[in-house]
Amino acid sequence: MAEAERIIGTPDITGAEGSGETGPDGAAASPDSGAPDGQDTGATAADAAVDRSPATRRRRVILLFCVAVVAYLLDLGSKMLVVAKLEHQEPIELIGDWLKLDAIRNAGAAFGFGEAFTIIFTVIAASVIVVIARLARKLYSLPWAIALGLLLGGALGNLTDRVFRAPGVFEGAVVDFIAPAHFAVFNLADSAIVCGGILIVLLSFKGLDPDGTVHKD
């Protein structure tokens, strides 16, 4: 019997096994192959596309700290140069009266606000650093790594001034020197903090989280 079936061949069975169409590889299409009703396949696909491997998180954390180090060193170097060459000197005009370099000591927050709360701003800066370190444990997003790196570098830059500069530990005055017309004097750390904050706001509006997932409200 087996030999006869081999010679004659086994007839195709249509309808008995199922009536679904076959795919390009010859496999029958399953009626359950589609997504369940009500499931957002786009969001699922976007989440599945996020690479959450340890290597990816390690690269993002390295990028965060690289951005922070660059921002911190630029701020620190510029302040050292300003203190050595520009403090107690006449302001240097870069673009007429529109932009000058004018060294001042600021006991307040960014752009000279809140000079009576130096210790409070020191605690806030230290808290920001702790929060960023905690976020780094679940960081898989490239733009978030850049934004957090800018925040970290700027916070470290101004915190260094508050800890090590006069009049005392945790009460030190920050060195500011970029003086646009009709605006407060600031430094590169302030610029990094503002740029990082703006980037975070934009990422939040787009629904991108630090872990790389995208949500829609």
Side-chain angles (χ1 to χ4, degrees), residues 61-85:
V61 172
I62 291 174
L63 175 61
L64 185 158
F65 284 108
C66 286
V67 172
V69 168
V70 170
Y72 176 76
L73 292 180
L74 287 175
D75 177 69
L76 182 62
S78 63
K79 288 174 179 175
M80 293 175 62
L81 185 62
V82 164
V83 170
K85 301 294 184 181

Side-chain angles (χ1 to χ4, degrees), residues 25-143:
D25 58 353
S30 171
D32 297 331
S33 59
D37 292 340
Q39 182 174 351
D40 188 355
T41 57
T44 303
D47 292 344
V50 178
D51 183 2
R52 292 192 177 88
S53 65
T56 297
R57 187 179 69 84
R58 185 165 55 250
R59 288 195 296 268
R60 298 297 181 259
V61 172
I62 291 174
L63 175 61
L64 185 158
F65 284 108
C66 286
V67 172
V69 168
V70 170
Y72 176 76
L73 292 180
L74 287 175
D75 177 69
L76 182 62
S78 63
K79 288 174 179 175
M80 293 175 62
L81 185 62
V82 164
V83 170
K85 301 294 184 181
L86 188 58
E87 199 168 34
H88 308 303
Q89 303 294 328
E90 290 296 322
I92 298 176
E93 295 184 354
L94 297 180
I95 308 177
D97 292 332
W98 290 97
L99 181 61
K100 298 179 181 179
L101 296 181
D102 186 13
I104 66 169
R105 296 294 180 109
N106 171 26
F111 307 112
F113 299 119
E115 295 187 2
F117 304 98
T118 305
I119 296 180
I120 295 177
F121 292 129
T122 302
V123 173
I124 292 174
S127 301
V128 168
I129 295 171
V130 173
V131 170
I132 292 173
R134 291 177 62 89
L135 283 175
R137 295 184 300 178
K138 58 176 183 178
L139 182 63
Y140 296 94
S141 168
L142 178 63

